[in-house]
Amino acid sequence: MKDKLSLGLVLLPFVPSATMQGQEQDAQNERPNIIFIMSDDHARQAMSIYGHPIGKVAPTPNIDRIGHEGAVFQNNYCCNSISGPSRAAILTGKHSHKNGFMKNWAKGFDGAQQTLPKILQANGYETAIIGKWHLISRPTGFDHWMILDDQGEYCNPHFITEKDTTRHPGYVTDLITRYTEEWLDGRKDKNKPFFLMMHHKAVHRNWVPAERHYHLYEHTTFPLPDNYFDAYEGRYAAQMQKMNIYCDMYEGHDLKMVAGMDSDSLLFDPWPHAFLGTMEPDERRRFLNAYRDRNNEFYSKQRSFKEVAEWKYQRYLQDYMGVVASVDESVGEILDYLKRTGLDKNTIVVYTTDQGFYLGEHGWFDKRFMYEESFGMPMVMRWPGHIKPETQVTGLTQNIDFAPTFLDMCGIEVPRDMQGMSFRPLVEKGKTPRDWRKSLYYHYYEFPGFHSVRAHYGVKMERYKLMHFYVDDKWELYDLKTDPTEMHNLYGKKGMEKVTAELMAELERLQKQYDVPGELCK
């Protein structure tokens, strides 16, 4: 029995929520369905519901619908800002050092351990995952799974099932949407509640829009961040990174730049399989034609370093937001499907992303750092009858909280070894309880590695944040009230001694609470 409990395979009794509303139903039918929609690298700045200047230029009305009809999370964060580890934390409700998947290039996620889908499955839920998996393993705990091969390709991607790996013609976001609806239509027992993880490849690098969106933002000028030309003064780890848009982006793979006027030869492309390699010849021709005039205009005159840097930023945002457009369309299609089928009345819909992302802040793309843009996870959630429209969730929440929250919402006992907390009270009551957590722990491990971001851990509180880049023994301290863009490292500055001591003590407390081995912090 003990072994089964550790795997989450024991059928736990369903306890109906005291706040359940609507017509009387039997206990089985009262349990909500859950559709968990997660994109990859979708920045908070690129969701118009958050009011950022970029979102105002390129709105996301369908994603916004979820927040307007439910809750918007203002302080939601990841525990390790990189794709695979974030996904593992969501599945297990545990920090990376506990679930074993600390780096993208780890040995593979341990599918034998307790996970959210296994517990739901054991409690009568039908479970499925469609789209990106990226955990170097086969999914477990799912009645149905259809996952992308590794990161997946934007055009004509390969999907893996229990039977085979097959190339599917079409655009990846559209295909994931179609296969999601097909699974919903074809469920074996429609009296059972379901848990569906719909994971998009988008908005991951290298940002290839659907063909219908090639020209969507061609003439749009996106606002340049104030710190785009950040010199990283006083921030050693920021000086050492390799994720700068105008210095480190691949001009072919990322920016779709060609060798010269009227050329069809892309500049160096390190990953052809993720770009033109899966396109048919006519698709490739239409793709290159879509960029031809803009590329020719770039080469038509001499430009200063600053002008080239700003041009690259605009190309990046035009493609990035073009990819976002298809994700937003997909969300709208799923919401319409739920309404059309009547499933909307008892289905929790979540839209989030695996971590935040840089859209030019500090001159960067990518993620990994504990700075706000990549540490933060934008999220909206709708649950009719339980979450009031326009609810603003301001308490500190984290991706390790997702599993315990969903179990709580489904009336299922939360395993004691899950490290997250159910934030159900925050969304249903619309306010943060007085005893809610006051701090968050973060730990990024992947160094040496891609983009040369130093391994670090840290603590975030409402106002202050402390980080330790432990390989080089460098500390950073920020006052998020006076310096929200984290430009001024206050560590070691006169007058900050008391704040530093308080944060050091809280960091030590969290590492003890989460049982972080000392050898992982060196």
Side-chain angles (χ1 to χ4, degrees):
M1 180 63 74
K2 185 176 180 181
D3 290 340
K4 288 187 176 180
L5 275 169
S6 68
L7 295 176
L9 297 178
V10 168
L11 188 65
L12 299 173
F14 170 67
V15 181
S17 166
T19 58
M20 281 271 187
Q21 300 178 5
Q23 297 179 348
E24 291 187 2
Q25 301 172 335
D26 58 53
Q28 182 80 5
N29 290 332
E30 280 185 344
R31 292 184 291 175
N33 307 305
I34 302 173
I35 296 184
F36 180 78
I37 308 172
M38 185 165 70
S39 57
D40 194 308
D41 294 344
H42 191 172
R44 172 189 175 118
Q45 309 90 285
M47 294 185 195
S48 49
I49 197 164
Y50 285 103
H52 190 276
I54 291 173
K56 291 179 179 179
V57 173
T60 51
N62 294 300
I63 294 170
D64 293 359
R65 274 173 63 188
I66 300 174
H68 290 315
E69 296 171 3
V72 183
F73 287 73
Q74 300 294 345
N75 290 294
N76 189 51
Y77 294 88
C78 60
C79 62
N80 185 351
S81 184
I82 191 166
S83 180
S86 178
R87 294 162 195 273
I90 290 168
L91 286 168
T92 62
K94 299 177 182 179
H95 279 279
S96 301
H97 66 279
K98 282 295 185 182
N99 64 53
F101 202 89
M102 297 182 288
K103 307 171 184 178
N104 257 352
W105 39 271
K107 293 182 178 179
F109 179 71
D110 176 12
Q113 67 183 299
Q114 170 187 274
T115 62
L116 170 64
K118 284 184 181 179
I119 297 172
L120 288 170
Q121 192 180 51
N123 281 269
Y125 271 74
E126 189 172 1
T127 59
I129 182 167
I130 298 170
K132 183 170 178 178
W133 176 245
H134 203 225
L135 287 170
I136 321 176
S137 64
R138 295 293 178 102
T140 57
F142 295 97
D143 297 297
H144 171 81
W145 56 269
M146 183 179 188
I147 60 173
L148 291 168
D149 186 10
D150 192 48
Q151 292 282 0
E153 304 94 353
Y154 275 107
C155 301
N156 309 319
H158 292 79
F159 282 89
I160 303 171
T161 65
E162 291 185 276
K163 297 179 179 179
D164 56 26
T165 299
T166 307
R167 182 172 180 262
H168 292 244
Y171 185 68
V172 65
T173 305
D174 300 341
L175 291 172
I176 291 170
T177 307
R178 182 204 306 169
Y179 298 143
T180 294
E181 292 188 6
E182 288 179 358
W183 180 80
L184 288 168
D185 280 335
R187 282 183 298 126
K188 297 177 181 177
D189 184 355
K190 294 190 177 181
N191 290 318
K192 293 178 67 173
F194 64 83
F195 172 68
L196 168 64
M197 303 186 89
M198 179 184 182
H199 288 187
H200 286 294
K201 180 240 179 8
V203 190
H204 195 276
R205 187 184 189 183
N206 62 338
W207 314 296
V208 179
E211 188 169 337
R212 62 185 178 277
H213 294 141
Y214 280 169
H215 301 284
L216 182 61
Y217 295 114
E218 179 177 350
H219 302 294
T220 300
T221 299
F222 289 92
L224 195 74
D226 292 338
N227 59 358
Y228 185 61
F229 292 102
D230 189 354
Y232 315 121
E233 182 179 356
R235 289 157 288 152
Y236 174 80
Q239 294 170 18
M240 302 304 293
Q241 51 69 38
K242 298 294 181 184
M243 45 191 267
N244 184 283
I245 292 170
Y246 46 90
C247 296
D248 302 310
M249 263 193 178
Y250 293 119
E251 292 180 328
H253 178 80
D254 296 320
L255 295 168
K256 292 80 175 180
M257 297 171 67
V258 292
M261 291 281 286
D262 293 312
S263 174
D264 280 350
S265 297
L266 284 174
L267 294 167
F268 176 63
D269 178 4
W271 301 296
H273 64 281
F275 192 14
L276 298 180
T278 57
M279 289 184 179
E280 297 294 336
D282 59 331
E283 292 175 320
R284 190 177 307 182
R285 173 179 52 79
R286 293 194 298 271
F287 175 85
L288 292 168
N289 284 342
Y291 287 85
R292 190 178 309 281
D293 289 345
R294 285 176 281 172
N295 283 341
N296 285 349
E297 192 278 331
F298 172 80
Y299 288 108
S300 67
K301 58 183 179 182
Q302 292 290 323
R303 298 171 189 268
S304 66
F305 172 84
K306 182 174 182 290
E307 289 172 331
V308 171
E310 293 180 353
W311 187 93
K312 288 183 176 182
Y313 169 79
Q314 294 300 331
R315 168 59 59 85
Y316 167 39
L317 265 290
Q318 288 164 2
D319 282 350
Y320 182 97
M321 295 309 300
V323 174
V324 168
S326 294
V327 176
D328 189 67
E329 290 173 349
S330 170
V331 170
E333 188 167 331
I334 294 300
L335 292 177
D336 291 345
Y337 174 92
L338 294 176
K339 186 174 183 179
R340 186 169 64 249
T341 58
L343 287 171
D344 60 319
K345 297 178 178 62
N346 193 35
T347 298
I348 298 167
V349 180
V350 179
Y351 180 84
T352 189
T353 180
D354 48 3
Q355 67 273 312
F357 210 69
Y358 294 99
L359 299 185
E361 299 82 15
H362 305 286
W364 294 339
F365 66 103
D366 208 67
K367 54 259 184 176
R368 302 168 199 268
F369 279 110
M370 196 187 173
Y371 302 129
E372 289 293 290
E373 290 86 359
S374 52
F375 182 26
M377 287 178 71
M379 185 163 73
V380 289
M381 175 184 288
R382 187 183 77 172
W383 188 11
H386 293 262
I387 303 175
K388 295 179 180 178
E390 306 288 351
T391 294
Q392 301 297 310
V393 181
T394 57
L396 293 174
T397 58
Q398 202 164 23
N399 56 356
I400 59 171
D401 299 333
F402 295 0
T405 299
F406 294 151
L407 293 175
D408 187 13
M409 289 176 165
C410 296
I412 299 171
E413 182 180 346
V414 179
R416 292 180 182 179
D417 61 343
M418 282 192 174
Q419 296 181 314
M421 303 167 59
S422 171
F423 53 69
R424 181 176 179 176
L426 280 69
V427 295
E428 288 195 326
K429 295 180 180 179
K431 58 183 180 181
T432 306
R434 294 182 64 180
D435 60 349
W436 189 251
R437 68 158 69 96
K438 301 297 189 293
S439 64
L440 295 174
Y441 179 69
Y442 178 88
H443 200 144
Y444 173 78
Y445 298 89
E446 195 171 299
F447 180 80
F450 211 45
H451 294 302
S452 296
V453 174
R454 265 53 184 172
H456 60 291
Y457 55 76
V459 57
K460 174 189 168 64
M461 302 189 75
E462 181 180 5
R463 178 169 178 174
Y464 294 100
K465 181 191 295 182
L466 179 70
M467 292 181 273
H468 186 208
F469 295 89
Y470 50 88
V471 174
D472 305 290
D473 196 23
K474 302 290 186 181
W475 290 85
E476 295 183 11
L477 172 66
Y478 296 98
D479 183 342
L480 299 174
K481 182 177 180 180
T482 62
D483 181 26
T485 56
E486 297 163 295
M487 297 289 287
H488 306 290
N489 180 12
L490 300 177
Y491 186 79
K493 302 294 184 183
K494 186 176 181 179
M496 299 306 297
E497 294 86 356
K498 182 179 178 181
V499 170
T500 301
E502 290 174 352
L503 286 165
M504 287 282 193
E506 183 63 9
L507 177 59
E508 184 178 350
R509 186 190 72 80
L510 289 174
Q511 289 182 328
K512 183 176 181 180
Q513 174 186 330
Y514 292 128
D515 193 25
V516 183
E519 61 268 22
L520 294 179
C521 301
K522 297 177 182 180

